[in-house]
Amino acid sequence: MTAENQLPYGVDVRTPSVARMYDHLLDGKDNFSADRAACDHLLQQVPSMKDLALNNRAFLQRVVRTLAREYGIRQFIDHGSGLPTQDNVHQIAQRVDGASRVVYVDSDPIVRSVGGALLETDDRTAVLQADMRDTQEIFDSEPVRRLIDFREPVGALFVSVLHCIPDADRPVDLIRRVRSRLASGSVMVICQLVSESEQVRDEVSAFMDRETRGHWGRVRTRADVESYFEDNGLSVVEPGLVEVSRWRPADVPAAPPQQSFEWEEFGGAGLVP
């Protein structure tokens, strides 16, 4: 576990962080008591949360491998990447082609600190501390300008992060801003927490907004996620938009099946024409 005296300046360990909560659910070590307590409370409301987190991680691994192998993607921007864990995006992509390049983007300073230390010997990979909504800042940053060639296809990842964005910031517009900068043949990977139960959406969103002190958006519906693709002219690749454990499940050993479906991670991959 990261020691408090080693933390980057300004980190409040008393307020749960979505990135650190996710780290705890994945059995990581870079989280604190407030993060673990928030996870415990969340699991009381949605007991499937840990299984969902593990399945979401397995989806990320499968989709990156697919983009590298089948679509020839050699450069990735991972928006809202969270803390490093086993089999990160750069490791998967570089097993397909050692020249693959990755920029991880996250607003949590601990992600920048831990990720930067992990990647300091890899000049094809960088961690950028930035708000994923700040598309211009991200695209103008030194790591992106150094590692990403926008004349070539890019894998733009928004995996389990758009539920952190409020409706007022219009996630569909964020997807549009990024999509407009990508070359033909790029692929956008988008999934987020959804529920068809209004009660679950309201109760969980209120809990997370309260726990993270406003660093949360909303649990949405499948139709909301479908609009991210349809409204931005993305051509959805097989097997379509699905609960993520059903996205090409044979490509990677399955995570433990989700036992209940108070909510689910829903999405897929869309090709930029």
Side-chain angles (χ1 to χ4, degrees):
M1 187 185 307
T2 302
E4 292 191 24
N5 61 5
Q6 297 175 336
L7 291 174
Y9 176 77
V11 173
D12 179 7
V13 300
R14 297 168 298 179
T15 300
S17 152
V18 174
R20 299 194 308 265
M21 289 175 66
Y22 189 57
D23 178 69
H24 174 59
L25 291 168
L26 294 176
D27 299 319
K29 60 183 178 60
D30 296 299
N31 53 79
F32 301 95
S33 58
D35 308 305
R36 297 188 289 276
C39 285
D40 289 343
H41 293 151
L42 184 60
L43 285 164
Q44 293 175 12
Q45 293 182 269
V46 278
S48 62
M49 188 61 214
K50 184 176 178 67
D51 295 337
L52 184 149
L54 291 169
N55 272 297
N56 183 67
R57 189 69 192 179
F59 164 71
L60 174 66
Q61 294 165 351
R62 293 195 303 275
V63 77
V64 170
R65 182 175 291 111
T66 298
L67 297 196
R69 286 179 175 173
E70 298 183 18
Y71 292 85
I73 303 291
R74 296 294 180 263
Q75 45 186 3
F76 296 83
I77 304 177
D78 188 359
H79 296 80
S81 59
L83 285 151
T85 182
Q86 295 182 349
D87 241 4
N88 299 288
V89 172
H90 71 284
Q91 293 165 321
I92 298 167
Q94 289 174 0
R95 281 200 292 271
V96 176
D97 185 332
S100 295
R101 306 175 308 282
V102 178
V103 177
Y104 296 100
V105 180
D106 203 287
S107 60
D108 192 324
I110 291 183
V111 174
R112 174 68 184 88
S113 177
V114 174
L118 177 68
L119 301 172
E120 62 184 4
T121 60
D122 186 349
D123 60 7
R124 297 155 302 177
T125 309
V127 180
L128 173 66
Q129 184 181 340
D131 189 316
M132 64 180 157
R133 292 169 290 188
D134 293 335
T135 304
Q136 194 64 45
E137 176 188 345
I138 292 168
F139 280 56
D140 287 346
S141 69
E142 185 277 333
V144 170
R145 288 187 288 107
R146 173 167 51 88
L147 293 173
I148 307 298
D149 181 354
F150 288 104
R151 296 169 297 183
E152 300 296 329
V154 175
L157 310 180
F158 290 88
V159 176
S160 194
V161 292
L162 294 181
H163 46 251
C164 297
I165 297 179
D167 285 344
D169 290 337
R170 292 185 53 82
V172 69
D173 289 345
L174 168 59
I175 299 304
R176 181 173 296 113
R177 291 195 300 273
V178 174
R179 181 236 188 272
S180 70
R181 304 286 291 269
L182 302 180
S184 176
S186 296
V187 180
M188 300 192 74
V189 179
I190 305 164
C191 66
Q192 79 144 76
L193 291 170
V194 305
S195 175
E196 300 309 302
S197 164
E198 184 177 2
Q199 180 179 354
V200 170
R201 293 197 302 271
D202 291 346
E203 290 181 355
V204 174
S205 293
F207 170 80
M208 287 298 297
D209 188 67
R210 182 173 64 252
E211 288 292 307
T212 63
R213 299 185 185 178
H215 291 88
W216 185 254
R218 185 168 64 86
V219 179
R220 296 186 170 91
T221 67
R222 292 183 176 187
D224 290 321
V225 177
E226 290 165 355
S227 73
Y228 301 156
F229 293 83
E230 293 171 0
D231 292 357
N232 285 296
L234 298 171
S235 178
V236 179
V237 305
E238 291 297 330
L241 303 183
V242 295
E243 186 271 314
V244 297
S245 69
R246 295 170 51 210
W247 201 92
R248 306 196 184 193
D251 291 355
V252 169
Q258 190 171 330
Q259 296 299 315
S260 59
F261 283 86
E262 304 89 357
W263 62 5
E264 65 184 23
E265 197 78 45
F266 180 80
L271 185 67
V272 176

